[in-house]
Amino acid sequence: ASSALRTSGFFLILLTSLHVFSQSPCGNIGFSSSNLNGWVGAKGTSTACFPSASGIVTGNYQGPNDQTPDTNETSNYFVNLQLWGDPLTGFQLPCYQSAGKTLRLGNANSLSEYQQLEYSFLVDSSNAALQIYYAVVMNNDGSGICNSAGMTLGVYDVNNNLLSAPCASISVNNTSTDLITTTYTVNGFPVKYQPWICSSTDLLPYVGMQVKLRIATYDGPTPNQFCYAYFDFSCTPLTLSSQYCDTLSACLQAVYCSGVAYQWYDAGGSPIPNATFDTLCITQFPPVNYSVQIINSQGCYITQYWSYNLPIINLNPISTPQSSPTASDGTATVTPSGGIPPYTYLWQPFGQTTQTVTGLDPGTYTVIVTDAMGCTSTAVIVIGTLGSGEDVTFFNSIDLFPN
């Protein structure tokens, strides 16, 4: 999505590839239906040293689907509608703050449990930017990586080959450096958690292909080695476009998945010198394309492409002259095209706001047409008297920013 804002003499375009909780171009990938529709579940027994499983049984093992806090964390799958945090971390780990839903996969039981969910979708231009949000809770008795619990996430093709896209594979286990140790314990060992992380995967090279997102949590073999994770996902386009007026500079702001580094590129693909911030202010018109490479805190990058064009409003004015010197029955109307409807009208000198004005005396009238972006065009109409040779229409057009 994109939105526009006038600020300090500039026109600010926000490239809002942010967390979107409405029904996305990937269907129920973000649990917008408040359930696991479209997801395929599996469970089995985790194998030592590797985040894989044996004895996989497929099915949709959906746990509670309500707003009741699951304080024992015992269900395998939980579409989480609550706005409080995770109970085993003493609520230090908040639920993702949104009006949407969050999945919890796994539980606080251990003994080599393995839980998996997969979601398949066709990649197209509307969903090529996959945004991944995750947090992890675990307990580990320090027995080593071969007895560890953890979480894995991957994006695969239909043949189960991992995609080569940036951050198409993510894993968290007891050796992960971002884990925070709490003062809360289970069986005498502290509970740890990975705070919420936003990552991104560029699926543009896979447009037209069916891919599947696979998430899993697994436990170690002892009662002190469990892991469960929270997830949310969304899909957005990588190519965005906007229209706006052309008389002032424009500032493009890319906001995507908590970027920590940026590089803007011109239409030829060359880096723009010193354009290494989330905002790029430009003064180049007519329209031109830009792109920005956004790197998040995990080192994953995604490139967003942005183009703009100028919504020139074309006006077709029509008038009829006064039928006699005393009739006061001249008319004028204007038909706009281009720009972004709907349109509003302002006639001068009398301030009428309809598309057509009637009851006109001979004279000069001006109509200002404004589109939905606030861009304007102006027509000047001269009303004469029938047979006098003065029933002439003049027209000009200018494009302005909204005041």
Side-chain angles (χ1 to χ4, degrees):
S2 64
S3 59
L5 176 66
R6 178 79 182 279
T7 174
S8 302
F10 288 91
F11 203 58
L12 181 62
I13 305 297
L14 301 179
L15 304 187
T16 54
S17 291
L18 296 173
H19 207 183
V20 179
F21 292 98
S22 59
Q23 190 74 15
S24 78
C26 294
N28 195 38
I29 197 170
F31 319 107
S32 56
S33 299
S34 302
N35 54 39
L36 293 176
N37 289 347
W39 289 85
V40 177
K43 63 180 179 180
T45 301
S46 59
T47 57
C49 296
F50 298 99
S52 59
S54 61
I56 285 291
V57 178
T58 60
N60 201 336
Y61 307 101
Q62 185 170 343
N65 184 19
D66 55 35
Q67 298 190 47
T68 304
D70 185 18
T71 55
N72 294 323
E73 307 297 355
T74 56
S75 61
N76 280 339
Y77 309 116
F78 188 91
V79 178
N80 182 9
L81 306 181
Q82 65 216 41
L83 295 180
W84 42 82
D86 180 84
L88 289 191
T89 65
F91 302 100
Q92 294 180 36
L93 174 64
C95 291
Y96 205 88
Q97 294 301 307
S98 71
K101 287 81 180 176
T102 306
L103 171 79
R104 197 197 72 230
L105 176 63
N107 54 52
N109 298 332
S110 52
L111 300 178
S112 301
E113 288 185 348
Y114 176 91
Q115 298 84 208
Q116 174 184 293
L117 283 171
E118 285 187 351
Y119 189 89
S120 298
F121 62 98
L122 180 68
V123 180
D124 59 32
S125 59
S126 71
N127 60 22
L130 174 62
Q131 297 174 82
I132 301 166
Y133 306 81
Y134 66 94
V136 180
V137 179
M138 66 171 57
N139 179 299
N140 194 279
D141 59 10
S143 299
I145 186 62
C146 283
N147 291 324
S148 180
M151 178 277 289
T152 62
L153 180 152
V155 187
Y156 299 83
D157 64 18
V158 293
N159 297 316
N160 291 314
N161 297 310
L162 185 68
L163 302 188
S164 59
C167 279
S169 178
I170 297 170
S171 64
V172 177
N173 57 46
N174 192 50
T175 64
S176 299
T177 58
D178 292 332
L179 292 174
I180 295 175
T181 301
T182 72
T183 58
Y184 296 85
T185 61
V186 173
N187 296 326
F189 293 93
V191 174
K192 301 178 181 181
Y193 69 95
Q194 163 74 68
W196 280 102
I197 286 180
C198 175
S199 187
S200 55
T201 300
D202 182 350
L203 299 179
L204 199 60
Y206 303 95
V207 167
M209 290 180 55
Q210 192 81 13
V211 301
K212 54 186 175 182
L213 171 66
R214 180 185 301 159
I215 54 178
T217 58
Y218 58 94
D219 306 319
T222 75
N224 307 318
Q225 299 164 349
F226 66 80
C227 176
Y228 58 90
Y230 294 93
F231 296 97
D232 208 344
F233 306 96
S234 65
C235 296
T236 57
L238 277 171
T239 301
L240 304 174
S241 62
S242 293
Q243 294 180 313
Y244 56 90
C245 315
D246 65 344
T247 58
L248 294 178
S249 298
C251 288
L252 318 180
Q253 185 176 25
V255 183
Y256 193 95
C257 229
S258 305
V260 296
Y262 304 85
Q263 177 60 63
W264 289 85
Y265 297 84
D266 61 21
S270 299
I272 300 174
N274 303 315
T276 56
F277 301 94
D278 64 342
T279 302
L280 174 70
C281 292
I282 58 174
T283 57
Q284 183 174 354
F285 302 97
V288 70
N289 297 327
Y290 291 90
S291 63
V292 56
Q293 187 178 81
I294 308 164
I295 303 173
N296 68 12
S297 58
Q298 276 59 59
C300 301
Y301 68 88
I302 197 164
T303 302
Q304 237 171 3
Y305 304 88
W306 188 83
S307 63
Y308 68 89
N309 56 77
L310 310 180
I312 298 174
I313 306 171
N314 300 304
L315 300 182
N316 179 27
I318 300 175
S319 65
T320 59
Q322 182 177 251
S323 61
S324 67
T326 60
S328 298
D329 59 357
T331 68
T333 188
V334 62
T335 301
S337 62
I340 302 177
Y343 308 100
T344 60
Y345 307 88
L346 178 62
W347 291 86
Q348 300 292 355
F350 43 76
Q352 196 164 329
T353 57
T354 56
Q355 185 175 359
T356 300
V357 289
T358 60
L360 301 180
D361 292 324
T364 300
Y365 299 89
T366 301
V367 58
I368 301 172
V369 178
T370 305
D371 74 354
M373 290 293 293
C375 302
T376 63
S377 285
T378 302
V380 177
I381 300 174
V382 176
I383 300 295
T385 301
L386 186 64
S388 68
E390 297 178 352
D391 51 322
V392 181
T393 298
F394 296 90
F395 169 71
N396 60 35
S397 175
I398 56 175
D399 293 300
L400 302 171
F401 270 145
N403 292 322

